[in-house]
Amino acid sequence: MTVFGLLRVTPITEGDITADVAAAVDALEAFDVEYETTPMATTLEAESVSELFAACAAAHEAVDAAEVQTLVQVDEKDKSMSAAEKVDAVETELGREAKSDGE
């Protein structure tokens, strides 16, 4: 089974959050998850929901801020399909890459 997650860890501070976000992303390395960070969130892929939640908890706990908000969205399916395969399926349907051409 493949479990997908959308993770957004947000330190609540008036300062720069880059180091805190980097610490949260770095914490994912200790877990058996594939991940990709985007400007808005990190997409995760794991074989079990427990591994996915453990990784998300570690990311949350890695942030050294007085207040941290974490959003986790989980998609658990019986069929096995990787994140790349999901994107490929959409791009096949579109007949192009699933992003703007920048113009």
Side-chain angles (χ1 to χ4, degrees):
M1 175 179 351
T2 302
V3 181
F4 296 102
L6 180 73
L7 172 66
R8 184 172 178 172
V9 178
T10 308
I12 306 303
T13 179
E14 293 192 20
D16 186 3
I17 65 170
T18 303
D20 286 322
V21 171
V25 171
D26 192 44
L28 300 174
E29 283 294 312
F31 297 87
D32 189 19
V33 297
E34 298 290 325
Y35 65 89
E36 182 177 355
T37 300
T38 71
M40 297 294 293
T42 298
T43 303
L44 301 114
E45 183 176 343
E47 292 298 315
S48 72
V49 71
S50 60
E51 187 72 8
L52 183 111
F53 277 122
C56 292
H60 176 90
E61 292 168 353
V63 175
D64 184 26
E67 184 178 353
V68 181
Q69 293 181 354
T70 297
L71 171 71
V72 179
Q73 182 176 351
V74 176
D75 180 14
E76 182 178 14
K77 295 188 182 293
D78 285 337
K79 67 180 184 176
S80 222
M81 182 181 230
S82 72
E85 290 170 330
K86 289 178 88 168
V87 173
D88 288 346
V90 170
E91 289 179 341
T92 297
E93 184 68 25
L94 287 170
R96 61 176 176 82
E97 287 187 74
K99 61 182 181 179
S100 67
D101 62 9
E103 293 181 38

Coordinates of all heavy atoms in Angstrom, one line a residue:
M1 N 0.9 -1.2 0.0 CA 0.0 0.0 0.0 C 0.9 1.2 0.0 O 2.0 1.2 0.6 CB -0.9 0.0 1.2 CG -1.7 1.2 1.4 SD -2.8 1.3 2.8 CE -2.8 -0.3 3.5
T2 N 0.4 2.3 -0.7 CA 1.2 3.5 -0.7 C 0.3 4.6 0.1 O -0.9 4.7 -0.1 CB 1.4 4.0 -2.1 OG1 2.1 3.0 -2.8 CG2 2.2 5.3 -2.2
V3 N 1.0 5.3 0.9 CA 0.4 6.4 1.7 C 1.0 7.7 1.2 O 2.3 7.8 1.3 CB 0.5 6.2 3.2 CG1 -0.2 7.3 3.9 CG2 0.0 4.8 3.6
F4 N 0.2 8.7 0.9 CA 0.7 10.0 0.5 C 0.4 11.0 1.6 O -0.7 10.8 2.2 CB 0.1 10.5 -0.8 CG 0.5 9.6 -2.0 CD1 -0.4 8.7 -2.5 CD2 1.7 9.7 -2.6 CE1 -0.1 7.9 -3.6 CE2 2.0 8.9 -3.7 CZ 1.1 8.0 -4.2
G5 N 1.2 11.9 1.8 CA 0.9 13.0 2.8 C 1.3 14.3 2.2 O 2.3 14.5 1.4
L6 N 0.6 15.3 2.7 CA 1.0 16.7 2.4 C 1.3 17.3 3.8 O 0.5 17.3 4.7 CB -0.2 17.5 1.8 CG 0.1 18.9 1.5 CD1 1.1 19.0 0.3 CD2 -1.1 19.7 1.2
L7 N 2.5 17.8 4.0 CA 3.0 18.3 5.2 C 3.4 19.8 5.1 O 4.1 20.2 4.2 CB 4.2 17.5 5.7 CG 5.0 18.0 6.9 CD1 4.1 17.9 8.2 CD2 6.3 17.2 7.1
R8 N 2.8 20.6 6.0 CA 3.2 22.0 6.1 C 3.5 22.3 7.6 O 2.6 22.3 8.4 CB 2.1 22.8 5.6 CG 2.4 24.3 5.5 CD 1.4 25.1 4.8 NE 1.8 26.5 4.9 CZ 1.2 27.5 4.2 NH1 0.2 27.2 3.5 NH2 1.6 28.7 4.3
V9 N 4.7 22.6 7.8 CA 5.2 23.0 9.2 C 5.5 24.5 9.2 O 6.3 24.9 8.4 CB 6.4 22.2 9.6 CG1 6.9 22.6 11.0 CG2 6.1 20.7 9.6
T10 N 4.8 25.2 10.0 CA 4.9 26.7 10.0 C 5.3 27.2 11.3 O 4.4 27.2 12.3 CB 3.6 27.3 9.5 OG1 3.2 26.7 8.3 CG2 3.8 28.8 9.3
P11 N 6.5 27.7 11.5 CA 6.8 28.3 12.8 C 6.1 29.7 12.8 O 6.1 30.4 11.8 CB 8.4 28.5 12.7 CG 8.8 27.8 11.5 CD 7.6 27.6 10.6
I12 N 5.5 30.0 13.9 CA 4.9 31.3 14.0 C 5.8 32.3 14.7 O 6.1 32.2 15.9 CB 3.6 31.2 14.9 CG1 2.7 30.1 14.3 CG2 2.9 32.5 15.0 CD1 2.3 30.3 12.9
T13 N 6.4 33.1 13.9 CA 7.4 34.1 14.3 C 7.4 35.3 13.4 O 7.0 35.2 12.2 CB 8.8 33.4 14.4 OG1 9.8 34.4 14.8 CG2 9.2 32.9 13.0
E14 N 8.0 36.4 13.8 CA 8.1 37.5 12.9 C 9.4 37.5 12.2 O 9.6 38.3 11.2 CB 8.0 38.8 13.7 CG 6.6 39.0 14.3 CD 6.3 40.3 14.8 OE1 7.0 41.3 14.5 OE2 5.4 40.5 15.6
G15 N 10.3 36.5 12.5 CA 11.6 36.4 11.9 C 11.6 35.5 10.7 O 10.5 35.0 10.3
D16 N 12.7 35.3 10.1 CA 12.9 34.4 8.9 C 12.7 33.0 9.4 O 13.3 32.6 10.4 CB 14.3 34.6 8.4 CG 14.5 33.8 7.1 OD1 13.6 33.2 6.6 OD2 15.7 33.9 6.6
I17 N 11.9 32.2 8.7 CA 11.6 30.8 9.0 C 12.4 29.8 8.3 O 12.2 28.6 8.5 CB 10.1 30.5 8.9 CG1 9.6 30.6 7.4 CG2 9.2 31.5 9.8 CD1 8.2 30.1 7.2
T18 N 13.3 30.3 7.4 CA 14.0 29.4 6.5 C 14.8 28.3 7.3 O 14.7 27.1 7.0 CB 15.0 30.1 5.7 OG1 14.3 31.1 4.9 CG2 15.7 29.2 4.7
A19 N 15.5 28.6 8.3 CA 16.2 27.6 9.1 C 15.3 26.6 9.8 O 15.6 25.4 9.8 CB 17.1 28.3 10.1
D20 N 14.2 27.1 10.3 CA 13.2 26.2 10.9 C 12.6 25.2 9.9 O 12.5 24.0 10.2 CB 12.1 27.0 11.6 CG 12.6 27.6 12.9 OD1 13.4 27.0 13.6 OD2 12.2 28.7 13.2
V21 N 12.3 25.7 8.8 CA 11.7 24.8 7.7 C 12.7 23.8 7.3 O 12.4 22.6 7.1 CB 11.1 25.7 6.5 CG1 10.8 24.8 5.4 CG2 10.0 26.5 7.0
A22 N 14.0 24.3 7.1 CA 15.1 23.4 6.7 C 15.2 22.3 7.8 O 15.5 21.1 7.4 CB 16.4 24.1 6.5
A23 N 15.1 22.6 9.0 CA 15.3 21.6 10.1 C 14.1 20.6 10.0 O 14.3 19.4 10.2 CB 15.3 22.3 11.5
A24 N 12.9 21.1 9.7 CA 11.8 20.2 9.6 C 12.0 19.2 8.4 O 11.8 18.0 8.6 CB 10.5 21.0 9.4
V25 N 12.4 19.7 7.3 CA 12.7 18.9 6.1 C 13.8 17.9 6.4 O 13.7 16.7 6.1 CB 13.0 19.7 4.9 CG1 13.5 18.9 3.7 CG2 11.8 20.6 4.5
D26 N 14.9 18.3 7.1 CA 16.0 17.5 7.4 C 15.6 16.3 8.3 O 16.1 15.2 8.2 CB 17.1 18.3 8.0 CG 18.4 17.5 8.1 OD1 18.8 16.9 7.1 OD2 19.1 17.6 9.2
A27 N 14.7 16.5 9.2 CA 14.2 15.5 10.1 C 13.6 14.3 9.4 O 13.6 13.2 9.9 CB 13.2 16.1 11.1
L28 N 13.1 14.6 8.2 CA 12.4 13.5 7.4 C 13.5 12.4 6.9 O 13.1 11.3 6.6 CB 11.7 14.1 6.1 CG 10.6 15.1 6.4 CD1 10.1 15.7 5.1 CD2 9.5 14.5 7.2
E29 N 14.7 12.8 6.9 CA 15.8 11.9 6.4 C 15.9 10.6 7.3 O 16.3 9.6 6.8 CB 17.1 12.6 6.4 CG 17.3 13.5 5.2 CD 17.3 12.7 3.9 OE1 18.1 11.7 3.7 OE2 16.6 13.1 2.9
A30 N 15.5 10.7 8.5 CA 15.6 9.6 9.5 C 14.4 8.5 9.3 O 14.4 7.5 10.0 CB 15.5 10.1 10.9
F31 N 13.6 8.7 8.3 CA 12.4 7.9 8.1 C 12.4 7.3 6.7 O 13.0 7.8 5.8 CB 11.1 8.7 8.4 CG 11.1 9.1 9.8 CD1 11.7 10.3 10.2 CD2 10.5 8.3 10.8 CE1 11.7 10.7 11.5 CE2 10.5 8.7 12.1 CZ 11.1 9.9 12.5
D32 N 11.7 6.2 6.6 CA 11.5 5.5 5.3 C 10.4 6.2 4.5 O 9.3 5.6 4.3 CB 11.3 4.0 5.5 CG 11.3 3.2 4.2 OD1 11.9 3.7 3.3 OD2 10.8 2.1 4.2
V33 N 10.7 7.4 4.1 CA 9.7 8.2 3.3 C 10.4 8.8 2.1 O 11.6 9.2 2.2 CB 9.0 9.3 4.1 CG1 8.1 8.7 5.2 CG2 9.9 10.3 4.6
E34 N 9.7 9.0 1.0 CA 10.2 9.8 -0.1 C 9.5 11.1 0.1 O 8.4 11.2 0.5 CB 9.8 9.2 -1.5 CG 10.4 7.8 -1.7 CD 11.8 7.8 -2.0 OE1 12.3 8.8 -2.6 OE2 12.5 6.9 -1.6
Y35 N 10.2 12.2 -0.2 CA 9.6 13.5 -0.1 C 10.1 14.5 -1.1 O 11.2 14.3 -1.7 CB 9.8 14.1 1.3 CG 11.2 14.4 1.7 CD1 11.8 15.6 1.4 CD2 12.0 13.4 2.3 CE1 13.1 15.9 1.7 CE2 13.4 13.7 2.6 CZ 13.9 14.9 2.3 OH 15.2 15.2 2.6
E36 N 9.3 15.5 -1.4 CA 9.7 16.6 -2.2 C 9.1 17.9 -1.6 O 7.9 18.0 -1.4 CB 9.1 16.4 -3.6 CG 9.5 17.5 -4.6 CD 9.0 17.3 -6.0 OE1 8.5 16.2 -6.3 OE2 9.2 18.2 -6.8
T37 N 10.0 18.9 -1.4 CA 9.5 20.1 -0.9 C 9.2 21.1 -2.0 O 10.0 21.2 -2.9 CB 10.6 20.7 0.1 OG1 10.8 19.7 1.1 CG2 10.3 22.0 0.7
T38 N 8.1 21.8 -1.8 CA 7.7 22.9 -2.8 C 7.7 24.2 -2.0 O 7.9 24.2 -0.8 CB 6.3 22.6 -3.4 OG1 5.3 22.7 -2.3 CG2 6.3 21.1 -3.9
P39 N 7.4 25.3 -2.6 CA 7.3 26.6 -1.9 C 6.2 26.6 -0.8 O 6.3 27.4 0.1 CB 7.0 27.6 -3.0 CG 7.6 27.0 -4.2 CD 7.3 25.5 -4.1
M40 N 5.2 25.8 -0.9 CA 4.1 25.8 0.0 C 4.0 24.7 1.0 O 3.4 24.8 2.0 CB 2.8 25.9 -0.8 CG 2.6 27.1 -1.7 SD 2.5 28.6 -0.8 CE 0.9 28.4 0.1
A41 N 4.6 23.5 0.7 CA 4.5 22.3 1.5 C 5.4 21.3 1.0 O 6.1 21.4 0.0 CB 3.0 21.8 1.5
T42 N 5.4 20.2 1.8 CA 6.2 19.0 1.4 C 5.3 17.8 1.1 O 4.5 17.5 2.0 CB 7.3 18.7 2.5 OG1 8.2 19.8 2.6 CG2 8.1 17.4 2.1
T43 N 5.5 17.2 0.0 CA 4.7 16.0 -0.3 C 5.5 14.8 0.1 O 6.7 14.7 -0.2 CB 4.5 15.9 -1.8 OG1 3.8 17.1 -2.2 CG2 3.6 14.7 -2.2
L44 N 4.9 13.8 0.8 CA 5.6 12.6 1.3 C 4.9 11.4 0.7 O 3.7 11.4 0.4 CB 5.5 12.5 2.8 CG 6.1 13.7 3.6 CD1 5.0 14.4 4.3 CD2 7.1 13.2 4.6
E45 N 5.7 10.3 0.6 CA 5.2 9.0 0.2 C 5.8 8.0 1.1 O 7.0 8.0 1.3 CB 5.6 8.8 -1.3 CG 5.2 7.6 -1.9 CD 5.6 7.5 -3.4 OE1 5.9 8.6 -4.0 OE2 5.5 6.4 -3.9
A46 N 5.0 7.1 1.6 CA 5.5 6.0 2.5 C 4.7 4.7 2.3 O 3.7 4.7 1.6 CB 5.3 6.5 4.0
E47 N 5.2 3.7 2.8 CA 4.5 2.4 2.7 C 3.5 2.2 3.8 O 2.6 1.3 3.7 CB 5.6 1.2 2.8 CG 6.5 1.2 1.5 CD 5.7 1.0 0.2 OE1 4.8 0.1 0.2 OE2 6.0 1.7 -0.8
S48 N 3.6 2.9 4.9 CA 2.6 2.7 6.0 C 2.2 4.1 6.6 O 3.0 5.0 6.6 CB 3.2 1.9 7.1 OG 4.2 2.5 7.8
V49 N 1.0 4.2 7.1 CA 0.5 5.4 7.6 C 1.3 5.7 8.9 O 1.6 6.9 9.2 CB -1.0 5.4 7.9 CG1 -1.4 4.4 9.0 CG2 -1.5 6.8 8.1
S50 N 1.7 4.7 9.7 CA 2.5 4.9 10.9 C 3.8 5.6 10.6 O 4.3 6.5 11.3 CB 2.6 3.6 11.7 OG 3.3 2.7 11.0
E51 N 4.5 5.1 9.5 CA 5.8 5.7 9.2 C 5.6 7.2 8.7 O 6.4 8.0 9.1 CB 6.5 4.9 8.0 CG 7.9 5.3 7.7 CD 8.9 5.0 8.7 OE1 8.6 4.2 9.7 OE2 10.0 5.5 8.6
L52 N 4.5 7.4 8.0 CA 4.3 8.8 7.5 C 4.0 9.7 8.7 O 4.6 10.8 8.8 CB 3.1 8.8 6.6 CG 2.8 10.2 6.0 CD1 3.1 10.2 4.5 CD2 1.3 10.5 6.3
F53 N 3.2 9.3 9.7 CA 2.9 10.1 10.8 C 4.1 10.3 11.7 O 4.3 11.4 12.3 CB 1.7 9.6 11.6 CG 0.4 10.0 11.1 CD1 -0.5 9.0 10.7 CD2 0.0 11.3 10.9 CE1 -1.8 9.4 10.2 CE2 -1.2 11.7 10.4 CZ -2.1 10.7 10.1
A54 N 5.0 9.3 11.8 CA 6.2 9.4 12.6 C 7.1 10.5 12.0 O 7.7 11.3 12.7 CB 6.9 8.1 12.7
A55 N 7.2 10.4 10.7 CA 8.0 11.4 10.0 C 7.5 12.8 10.2 O 8.2 13.8 10.4 CB 8.1 11.1 8.5
C56 N 6.2 13.0 10.1 CA 5.5 14.3 10.3 C 5.7 14.8 11.7 O 6.0 16.0 11.9 CB 4.0 14.2 9.9 SG 3.7 13.9 8.2
A57 N 5.6 13.9 12.7 CA 5.8 14.3 14.1 C 7.3 14.8 14.3 O 7.5 15.8 14.9 CB 5.5 13.1 15.0
A58 N 8.2 14.1 13.7 CA 9.6 14.5 13.8 C 9.9 15.8 13.2 O 10.6 16.6 13.7 CB 10.5 13.4 13.2
A59 N 9.3 16.1 12.0 CA 9.4 17.4 11.4 C 8.9 18.5 12.2 O 9.5 19.5 12.4 CB 8.7 17.3 10.0
H60 N 7.7 18.2 12.8 CA 7.1 19.2 13.7 C 8.0 19.5 14.9 O 8.3 20.7 15.3 CB 5.7 18.7 14.2 CG 5.1 19.6 15.2 ND1 4.3 20.6 14.9 CD2 5.2 19.6 16.6 CE1 3.8 21.2 16.0 NE2 4.4 20.7 17.0
E61 N 8.5 18.4 15.5 CA 9.4 18.6 16.7 C 10.8 19.2 16.4 O 11.4 19.7 17.3 CB 9.5 17.2 17.4 CG 8.2 16.7 18.0 CD 8.2 15.3 18.4 OE1 9.2 14.6 18.2 OE2 7.2 14.9 19.0
A62 N 11.2 19.1 15.2 CA 12.5 19.7 14.8 C 12.5 21.2 14.8 O 13.6 21.8 14.8 CB 12.9 19.1 13.4
V63 N 11.4 21.8 14.8 CA 11.3 23.3 14.7 C 11.5 23.8 16.1 O 10.8 23.5 17.1 CB 10.0 23.7 14.1 CG1 9.8 25.2 14.1 CG2 9.8 23.2 12.7
D64 N 12.4 24.8 16.2 CA 12.7 25.4 17.5 C 12.1 26.7 17.6 O 12.7 27.8 17.4 CB 14.3 25.5 17.7 CG 14.7 26.0 19.0 OD1 13.9 25.9 20.0 OD2 15.8 26.6 19.1
A65 N 10.8 26.7 17.8 CA 10.0 28.0 17.9 C 9.0 27.8 19.0 O 8.6 26.7 19.3 CB 9.3 28.3 16.6
A66 N 8.6 29.0 19.6 CA 7.7 29.0 20.7 C 6.3 28.5 20.2 O 5.6 27.9 21.0 CB 7.6 30.3 21.3
E67 N 6.0 28.7 19.0 CA 4.7 28.3 18.4 C 4.9 27.7 17.1 O 5.6 28.3 16.2 CB 3.7 29.5 18.4 CG 2.3 29.0 17.9 CD 1.3 30.2 17.9 OE1 1.6 31.3 18.3 OE2 0.2 29.9 17.4
V68 N 4.4 26.5 16.8 CA 4.5 25.9 15.5 C 3.1 25.3 15.1 O 2.4 24.7 15.9 CB 5.5 24.7 15.6 CG1 5.6 24.0 14.3 CG2 6.8 25.1 16.2
Q69 N 2.7 25.6 13.9 CA 1.5 25.0 13.4 C 1.9 24.0 12.3 O 2.7 24.3 11.4 CB 0.6 26.1 12.8 CG 0.0 27.1 13.8 CD -0.8 28.1 13.2 OE1 -1.0 28.2 12.0 NE2 -1.5 28.9 14.0
T70 N 1.3 22.8 12.4 CA 1.6 21.8 11.4 C 0.3 21.3 10.8 O -0.7 20.9 11.6 CB 2.3 20.6 12.1 OG1 3.6 21.1 12.5 CG2 2.6 19.5 11.1
L71 N 0.2 21.2 9.5 CA -0.9 20.7 8.8 C -0.5 19.4 8.1 O 0.5 19.4 7.4 CB -1.4 21.7 7.7 CG -2.4 21.2 6.7 CD1 -3.8 21.1 7.4 CD2 -2.5 22.2 5.6
V72 N -1.2 18.3 8.3 CA -1.0 17.1 7.6 C -2.2 16.6 6.9 O -3.3 16.5 7.6 CB -0.5 16.0 8.6 CG1 -0.2 14.6 7.9 CG2 0.8 16.4 9.4
Q73 N -2.1 16.3 5.7 CA -3.2 15.7 4.9 C -2.8 14.4 4.4 O -1.7 14.3 3.8 CB -3.6 16.6 3.7 CG -4.8 16.1 2.9 CD -5.1 17.1 1.8 OE1 -4.6 18.2 1.8 NE2 -6.0 16.7 0.9
V74 N -3.6 13.3 4.6 CA -3.1 12.0 4.3 C -4.1 11.3 3.2 O -5.3 11.5 3.3 CB -3.1 11.1 5.5 CG1 -2.8 9.6 5.2 CG2 -2.1 11.6 6.5
D75 N -3.5 10.7 2.3 CA -4.3 9.9 1.3 C -3.7 8.5 1.3 O -2.6 8.2 0.9 CB -4.0 10.5 -0.1 CG -4.8 9.8 -1.2 OD1 -5.7 9.0 -0.9 OD2 -4.4 10.1 -2.4
E76 N -4.6 7.6 1.8 CA -4.2 6.2 1.9 C -5.0 5.3 1.0 O -6.3 5.4 1.0 CB -4.4 5.7 3.4 CG -4.0 4.3 3.6 CD -4.2 3.8 5.0 OE1 -4.8 4.5 5.8 OE2 -3.6 2.8 5.4
K77 N -4.4 4.6 0.1 CA -5.1 3.8 -0.9 C -4.7 2.4 -0.9 O -3.6 2.0 -0.5 CB -4.8 4.4 -2.3 CG -5.3 5.8 -2.6 CD -5.1 6.1 -4.0 CE -5.5 7.5 -4.3 NZ -6.9 7.9 -4.2
D78 N -5.6 1.5 -1.3 CA -5.3 0.1 -1.4 C -4.3 -0.2 -2.6 O -3.5 -1.1 -2.5 CB -6.5 -0.8 -1.6 CG -7.3 -0.9 -0.3 OD1 -6.7 -0.7 0.8 OD2 -8.5 -1.2 -0.3
K79 N -4.4 0.5 -3.6 CA -3.6 0.2 -4.8 C -2.3 1.0 -4.6 O -2.2 2.0 -4.0 CB -4.3 0.6 -6.1 CG -4.5 2.1 -6.3 CD -5.2 2.3 -7.7 CE -5.4 3.7 -7.9 NZ -6.0 4.0 -9.2
S80 N -1.2 0.4 -5.2 CA 0.1 1.0 -5.1 C 0.4 1.9 -6.4 O 0.3 1.4 -7.5 CB 1.1 -0.1 -5.1 OG 2.1 0.2 -4.1
M81 N 0.6 3.1 -6.2 CA 0.9 4.0 -7.3 C 1.8 5.1 -6.7 O 1.5 5.7 -5.6 CB -0.4 4.7 -7.8 CG -0.2 5.6 -9.0 SD -1.7 6.3 -9.6 CE -1.6 6.0 -11.3
S82 N 3.0 5.3 -7.2 CA 3.9 6.3 -6.7 C 3.4 7.7 -7.0 O 2.6 7.9 -7.9 CB 5.3 6.1 -7.3 OG 5.3 6.5 -8.6
A83 N 4.0 8.7 -6.3 CA 3.7 10.1 -6.5 C 4.0 10.5 -8.0 O 3.2 11.1 -8.6 CB 4.4 11.0 -5.6
A84 N 5.1 10.0 -8.5 CA 5.5 10.3 -9.8 C 4.5 9.7 -10.8 O 4.2 10.4 -11.9 CB 6.9 9.8 -10.1
E85 N 4.0 8.5 -10.6 CA 3.0 7.9 -11.5 C 1.7 8.7 -11.5 O 1.1 8.8 -12.5 CB 2.8 6.5 -11.0 CG 3.9 5.5 -11.3 CD 3.8 4.2 -10.7 OE1 3.1 4.0 -9.6 OE2 4.3 3.2 -11.3
K86 N 1.4 9.2 -10.3 CA 0.1 10.1 -10.2 C 0.3 11.3 -11.1 O -0.6 11.7 -11.9 CB -0.2 10.5 -8.8 CG -0.7 9.3 -7.9 CD -0.9 9.7 -6.5 CE -2.3 10.3 -6.4 NZ -2.7 10.4 -5.0
V87 N 1.5 12.0 -11.0 CA 1.7 13.2 -11.8 C 1.8 12.8 -13.3 O 1.2 13.5 -14.1 CB 3.0 13.9 -11.4 CG1 3.4 15.0 -12.3 CG2 2.9 14.4 -9.9
D88 N 2.5 11.7 -13.6 CA 2.5 11.2 -15.0 C 1.1 11.0 -15.6 O 0.9 11.3 -16.8 CB 3.3 9.9 -15.1 CG 4.8 10.1 -14.9 OD1 5.3 11.3 -14.9 OD2 5.5 9.1 -14.7
A89 N 0.2 10.4 -14.8 CA -1.1 10.2 -15.3 C -1.8 11.5 -15.6 O -2.5 11.6 -16.7 CB -1.9 9.4 -14.3
V90 N -1.7 12.5 -14.8 CA -2.3 13.8 -15.1 C -1.7 14.4 -16.3 O -2.4 14.9 -17.2 CB -2.2 14.7 -13.9 CG1 -2.6 16.1 -14.2 CG2 -3.0 14.2 -12.7
E91 N -0.3 14.3 -16.4 CA 0.3 14.9 -17.6 C -0.1 14.2 -18.9 O -0.2 14.8 -19.9 CB 1.8 14.9 -17.4 CG 2.3 15.9 -16.3 CD 3.7 15.9 -16.0 OE1 4.5 15.0 -16.4 OE2 4.2 17.0 -15.4
T92 N -0.2 12.9 -18.8 CA -0.7 12.1 -20.0 C -2.1 12.6 -20.4 O -2.3 12.8 -21.6 CB -0.7 10.6 -19.7 OG1 0.6 10.2 -19.4 CG2 -1.3 9.8 -20.9
E93 N -3.0 12.8 -19.4 CA -4.3 13.3 -19.7 C -4.3 14.7 -20.3 O -5.0 15.0 -21.3 CB -5.2 13.3 -18.5 CG -6.6 13.7 -18.7 CD -7.4 12.7 -19.5 OE1 -7.1 11.5 -19.6 OE2 -8.4 13.1 -20.1
L94 N -3.4 15.6 -19.8 CA -3.2 16.9 -20.3 C -2.6 17.0 -21.7 O -2.8 17.9 -22.4 CB -2.4 17.8 -19.3 CG -3.0 18.2 -18.0 CD1 -2.0 18.8 -17.1 CD2 -4.1 19.2 -18.3
G95 N -1.7 16.0 -21.9 CA -0.8 16.0 -23.1 C 0.3 17.0 -23.0 O 0.9 17.4 -24.0
R96 N 0.7 17.4 -21.8 CA 1.8 18.3 -21.5 C 2.2 18.2 -20.0 O 1.5 17.5 -19.3 CB 1.4 19.7 -21.8 CG 0.2 20.2 -21.0 CD -0.1 21.7 -21.2 NE -1.3 22.1 -20.5 CZ -1.3 22.5 -19.2 NH1 -0.2 22.5 -18.5 NH2 -2.4 22.9 -18.7
E97 N 3.2 18.9 -19.7 CA 3.6 19.0 -18.3 C 2.5 19.7 -17.4 O 1.9 20.6 -18.0 CB 4.9 19.7 -18.1 CG 6.2 18.9 -18.5 CD 7.4 19.6 -18.2 OE1 7.8 19.6 -17.0 OE2 8.1 20.2 -19.1
A98 N 2.4 19.3 -16.2 CA 1.4 19.9 -15.3 C 1.9 21.1 -14.6 O 1.9 21.2 -13.4 CB 0.9 18.8 -14.3
K99 N 2.4 22.0 -15.4 CA 2.9 23.3 -14.9 C 2.8 24.3 -16.0 O 2.8 24.0 -17.2 CB 4.3 23.2 -14.3 CG 5.4 22.8 -15.2 CD 6.7 22.7 -14.5 CE 7.8 22.3 -15.5 NZ 9.1 22.3 -14.8
S100 N 2.8 25.6 -15.6 CA 2.8 26.6 -16.6 C 4.1 26.7 -17.4 O 5.1 26.3 -16.9 CB 2.4 28.0 -16.0 OG 3.5 28.4 -15.2
D101 N 4.1 27.4 -18.5 CA 5.3 27.5 -19.3 C 6.1 28.7 -18.9 O 7.1 29.0 -19.5 CB 5.0 27.5 -20.8 CG 4.1 28.6 -21.3 OD1 3.9 29.5 -20.5 OD2 3.7 28.6 -22.4
G102 N 5.6 29.5 -17.9 CA 6.3 30.6 -17.4 C 6.1 31.9 -18.2 O 6.8 32.9 -17.9
E103 N 5.2 31.9 -19.1 CA 5.0 33.1 -20.0 C 3.8 33.9 -19.5 O 2.8 33.4 -19.1 CB 4.9 32.8 -21.4 CG 6.3 32.2 -21.9 CD 6.2 31.9 -23.4 OE1 5.6 32.6 -24.2 OE2 6.8 30.9 -23.8

